[in-house]
Amino acid sequence: MAAGETQLYAKVSNKLKVRGPSLLLEPLLGMGFPVHTALKALAATGRKTAEEASDWLRCHRNDPSLDDPIPQEYALFLCPTGSLLEQLQEFWRESKRQCTKNRAHEIFPHITLCDFFTCEDHKVECLYEALKRAGDRVRGSFPLVVPLALHSSISYLGFFVSDSPADVIREFATTFAMEVAVLADCTVKPCAKQLHLTLAHKFYPHHQRTLEQLARAIQPGHSCQWTAVLYSRDMRFVHYQTLRALFQYKPQNEDELTLSPGDYIFVDPTQQEETSKGWVIGTSQRTGCRGFLPENYTEQANESDTWVKHRTYTFSLAMDLASRKDGEASSRRNGEPHPPQTPRDVSSIQALQATIARKSVLVVRHGERVDQIFGKSWLQQCSTPDGKYYRPDLNFPCSLPRRSSGIKDFENDPPLSSCGIFQSRIAGEALLDSGIRITSVFTSPALRCVQTAKHILEELKLEKTIKIRVEPGIFEWTKWESGKTTPTLMTLDELQEAGFNVSMDYRPAFPLASLMPAESYDEYVNRCAVSVGWITSIRPRDGVILIVGHGSALDSCTRPLLGLPPRDSGDFAQLVRKIPSLGMCFCEENKEEGKWELVNPPVKTLTHGSNSAFNWRNWIPGS
């Protein structure tokens, strides 16, 4: 590097180092958190929002390592999106199903650009600046299509990047390393090996032919936006086993860990001598605390599940926007507009931007409710004489949340059945695989809807980052509810106490007290229209709004968006009866035409048959 360039970078570096607290840091300092712990929380949450960082600090208030100056480790990956990513994810699923899990399944599809490196918490923003500078430098030469050639050996299967595009990608990685060295004073080792995207690694030799056949179904030439993604991980647990909590666990002793579904636990296999059979000792990622936990409350997870995504740089989008600006400038040089001569015309760029920032609403019916299977007397079947709950059948839930007025209020506000919980989870898993990006969640105040939203978010791995906003305005048509009064529904405090991550600050379109019993059809559809209008008006600019409601919501919450009048009440009733558990409708805003339209939901429907009760006593001879 020339001496002048070195001096210039040094000035920039000093400027970055001495500037005042960032917009994210200031609120945390205002809450009374010390600078070093506030910076640690921001780094651990990807420097997204001050709210996430403060939540992290509250969870880690008993973390014995909170004040330790242990930085995060960072790495840069080049990740595919779009059609290619969908094909790779399908390969991941099928290869795991047909050939069992191999090392490639432990991380998402990617091309490694550099080894993991450490960066002090107060310099993390410099990494973001380095990523942008490196991307801007090579975006003009970055290939529109990255050619991938399939390579197979006895223990490895993957795509190699051909020489010319590989050189550009290596230049990007080298530039990033140089910028990081100057701005953040970190040592980054760019990938010097053959650039590759691993499909399978360290698999059984007899699976090689099957894996090759699955790999040949991938068409790597399909259009793809390649995105450089900066991730971080906790360097203390790199060689640990990672577990994911499946159930809630409340400690019985002081040396035990509290578990919530979705928690990740780091376990060192070499430090388990002091544990009893069926127990392990580990460290919670959510709280930083260490303790014993029942192993059968967890499942195996991948280390990469705990990585934190920080910033991205999408090359094709950056090139499209740059080309559009250059084209617009050149078209006006002669005083009148001319079609710009760019690799992609303006209409395709606008379509790309519209796709990225398109407004979308996904309306989902709740899962199977317990009274749907066991009838109106379900509560009598699972109640003891003194009013306590017990589980008489496996399709009853394991437990019921606590309600201030007791178990009787569940009669008209029933929970999900065990199958309903499973339905919700499998739908959430499918949504995760689809790549859909949920940015906000609204639910009816009915317990079954809040439960469905919770389980979907857990499978999407968003249960900690997205709060459930309870909107009474999308509650069921009260004429269909039994009784002369509206059901007594759980309060936000009760839901929060029961472990639901509900927003306590959300101001709904219709307060719970405004629900009127036996309302007319017109009152109901008007309530839903106002509610969905309110929901779409306060949503983020991009991403998908998830609305979890009742079967009726698939019609009453979409027709207002589509600009259609309400159906006849008789037709409405007939339609709603046919909507299954976890039925979905998906609306997207067509910005070019200024209207909403129904499109294919991101996942398929869930169909299953009935399963009658079984009594083993009927098999006793003579019975």
Side-chain angles (χ1 to χ4, degrees):
M1 184 186 297
E5 286 184 287
T6 304
Q7 293 175 358
L8 176 61
Y9 281 127
K11 291 179 181 178
V12 173
S13 178
N14 290 333
K15 182 179 180 181
L16 288 170
K17 290 177 182 177
V18 301
R19 65 186 179 184
S22 69
L23 294 176
L24 294 177
L25 184 58
E26 287 176 346
L28 299 176
L29 299 181
M31 296 177 192
F33 294 115
V35 175
H36 67 287
T37 57
L39 287 169
K40 188 171 188 174
L42 287 170
T45 56
R47 296 188 73 95
K48 295 180 179 66
T49 65
E51 182 181 7
E52 285 187 44
S54 64
D55 287 344
W56 187 92
L57 285 166
R58 279 191 285 271
C59 289
H60 284 256
R61 59 185 178 275
N62 296 320
D63 182 351
S65 67
L66 185 60
D67 291 320
D68 294 347
I70 305 172
Q72 295 276 306
E73 279 190 329
Y74 298 82
L76 189 64
F77 301 100
L78 189 64
C79 301
T81 64
S83 174
L84 179 56
L85 177 59
E86 292 174 1
Q87 293 181 72
L88 292 169
Q89 290 173 332
E90 178 62 24
F91 175 87
W92 250 246
R93 288 189 292 269
E94 279 302 301
S95 61
K96 189 174 182 179
R97 184 180 69 85
Q98 297 187 32
C99 305
T100 73
K101 184 177 180 180
N102 63 69
R103 290 289 295 275
H105 292 119
E106 296 177 3
I107 190 173
F108 42 80
H110 71 284
I111 296 173
T112 301
L113 298 182
C114 72
D115 295 342
F116 272 96
F117 63 94
T118 58
C119 178
E120 297 173 70
D121 294 337
H122 68 279
K123 298 178 180 178
V124 175
E125 282 193 347
C126 298
L127 303 184
Y128 306 161
E129 178 65 19
L131 175 60
K132 183 180 183 304
R133 290 187 184 185
D136 288 347
R137 177 168 173 176
V138 303
R139 70 182 181 190
S141 56
F142 195 88
L144 291 176
V145 177
V146 176
L148 301 173
L150 186 63
H151 173 79
S152 178
S153 69
I154 195 66
S155 63
Y156 176 85
L157 181 72
F159 289 117
F160 283 178
V161 183
S162 60
D163 292 340
S164 180
D167 290 341
V168 177
I169 297 172
R170 286 196 192 92
E171 179 188 354
F172 166 69
T174 302
T175 304
F176 172 76
M178 179 188 70
E179 295 285 357
V180 170
V182 173
L183 296 176
D185 194 23
C186 299
T187 301
V188 179
K189 184 180 178 182
C191 183
K193 301 178 182 178
Q194 168 80 52
L195 293 180
H196 57 277
L197 192 157
T198 300
L199 297 176
H201 181 43
K202 292 191 176 179
F203 47 82
Y204 293 111
H206 63 276
H207 286 151
Q208 182 177 0
R209 179 173 296 181
T210 302
L211 292 169
E212 287 177 354
Q213 291 174 344
L214 291 172
R216 291 192 185 99
I218 301 173
Q219 300 178 17
H222 276 202
S223 60
C224 171
Q225 285 186 0
W226 288 90
T227 300
V229 189
L230 184 68
Y231 281 93
S232 73
R233 68 183 183 185
D234 193 321
M235 62 188 296
R236 296 174 296 167
F237 307 114
V238 171
H239 300 296
Y240 281 45
Q241 184 184 44
T242 305
L243 303 179
R244 182 190 295 109
L246 296 173
F247 311 105
Q248 188 171 10
Y249 178 75
K250 294 184 178 180
Q252 308 299 310
N253 299 290
E254 291 184 356
D255 58 356
E256 294 174 5
L257 272 181
T258 298
L259 296 182
S260 295
D263 282 358
Y264 289 102
I265 311 298
F266 300 111
V267 174
D268 185 350
T270 65
Q271 297 180 0
Q272 303 303 315
E273 297 84 0
E274 56 185 296
T275 60
S276 304
K277 184 177 180 180
W279 290 74
V280 294
I281 188 169
T283 302
S284 169
Q285 184 199 33
R286 180 172 61 86
T287 65
C289 296
R290 177 178 166 86
F292 293 94
L293 63 141
E295 190 172 14
N296 62 349
Y297 275 53
T298 65
E299 66 177 358
Q300 290 283 343
N302 299 321
E303 180 204 341
S304 62
D305 294 340
T306 66
W307 293 357
V308 177
K309 180 189 284 189
H310 283 255
R311 293 295 184 271
T312 64
Y313 189 98
T314 303
F315 289 96
S316 56
L317 177 59
M319 288 188 289
D320 284 339
L321 298 178
S323 299
R324 182 180 182 186
K325 291 176 182 178
D326 294 342
E328 288 175 346
S330 63
S331 68
R332 294 187 177 90
R333 286 172 188 164
N334 297 327
E336 55 182 310
H338 296 284
Q341 301 298 315
T342 60
R344 303 183 185 188
D345 59 27
V346 173
S347 62
S348 66
I349 296 168
Q350 290 173 334
L352 174 63
Q353 291 174 312
T355 300
I356 294 171
R358 182 171 290 169
K359 295 181 181 178
S360 305
V361 174
L362 178 63
V363 185
V364 180
R365 189 194 177 194
H366 58 75
E368 179 185 272
R369 45 194 278 181
V370 71
D371 62 332
Q372 184 179 336
I373 302 302
F374 299 102
K376 293 182 179 179
S377 64
W378 72 273
L379 194 57
Q380 286 71 43
Q381 300 174 45
C382 62
S383 302
T384 62
D386 57 352
K388 294 183 179 179
Y389 174 79
Y390 75 98
R391 191 184 192 189
D393 186 283
L394 290 181
N395 204 17
F396 277 80
C398 295
S399 61
L400 295 179
R402 192 187 70 82
R403 301 178 82 144
S404 58
S405 52
I407 195 173
K408 66 180 185 300
D409 282 341
F410 286 109
E411 185 168 11
N412 294 321
D413 184 26
L416 294 178
S417 66
S418 295
C419 286
I421 293 171
F422 171 75
Q423 292 168 337
S424 305
R425 287 194 169 277
I426 201 171
E429 180 184 15
L431 288 170
L432 177 66
D433 290 342
S434 75
I436 191 173
R437 190 167 72 91
I438 303 292
T439 54
S440 55
V441 178
F442 298 81
T443 77
S444 160
L447 174 60
R448 55 194 180 273
C449 298
V450 181
Q451 287 179 307
T452 301
K454 169 186 169 68
H455 294 305
I456 289 176
L457 284 174
E458 286 175 350
E459 292 301 313
L460 287 169
K461 301 177 177 58
L462 296 173
E463 72 278 9
K464 299 176 183 176
T465 57
I466 294 184
K467 291 185 180 293
I468 298 172
R469 301 177 184 182
V470 177
E471 176 50 71
I474 57 176
F475 183 66
E476 183 65 278
W477 183 11
T478 58
K479 180 183 176 181
W480 287 350
E481 295 293 317
S482 59
K484 296 182 179 180
T485 61
T486 52
T488 302
L489 304 169
M490 293 182 69
T491 65
L492 293 179
D493 288 334
E494 289 175 329
L495 289 170
Q496 190 176 60
E497 183 183 346
F500 297 98
N501 187 19
V502 294
S503 172
M504 307 298 286
D505 303 322
Y506 171 63
R507 184 167 59 89
F510 285 84
L512 195 59
S514 68
L515 294 178
M516 303 298 293
E519 65 190 335
S520 70
Y521 178 62
D522 288 342
E523 289 172 332
Y524 165 69
V525 294
N526 179 67
R527 164 164 63 84
C528 290
V530 171
S531 298
V532 78
W534 169 249
I535 287 170
T536 54
S537 70
I538 63 173
R539 66 177 306 282
R541 290 176 57 191
D542 58 358
V544 177
I545 299 176
L546 173 62
I547 296 178
V548 181
H550 309 266
S552 54
L554 271 67
D555 186 74
S556 59
C557 288
T558 57
R559 289 182 76 84
L561 290 177
L562 302 174
L564 299 174
R567 297 181 191 273
D568 175 80
S569 60
D571 295 339
F572 172 76
Q574 290 296 325
L575 178 73
V576 171
R577 289 193 184 100
K578 300 176 183 177
I579 297 173
S581 300
L582 274 301
M584 300 182 185
C585 278
F586 193 41
C587 291
E588 283 189 345
E589 185 184 36
N590 187 327
K591 290 190 174 182
E592 291 77 16
E593 299 182 16
K595 65 179 183 180
W596 290 78
E597 55 192 11
L598 278 177
V599 296
N600 282 332
V603 300
K604 305 297 184 184
T605 58
L606 172 65
T607 306
H608 60 89
S610 60
N611 192 54
S612 59
F614 174 77
N615 190 337
W616 63 272
R617 295 181 184 277
N618 295 336
W619 291 78
I620 300 176
S623 64

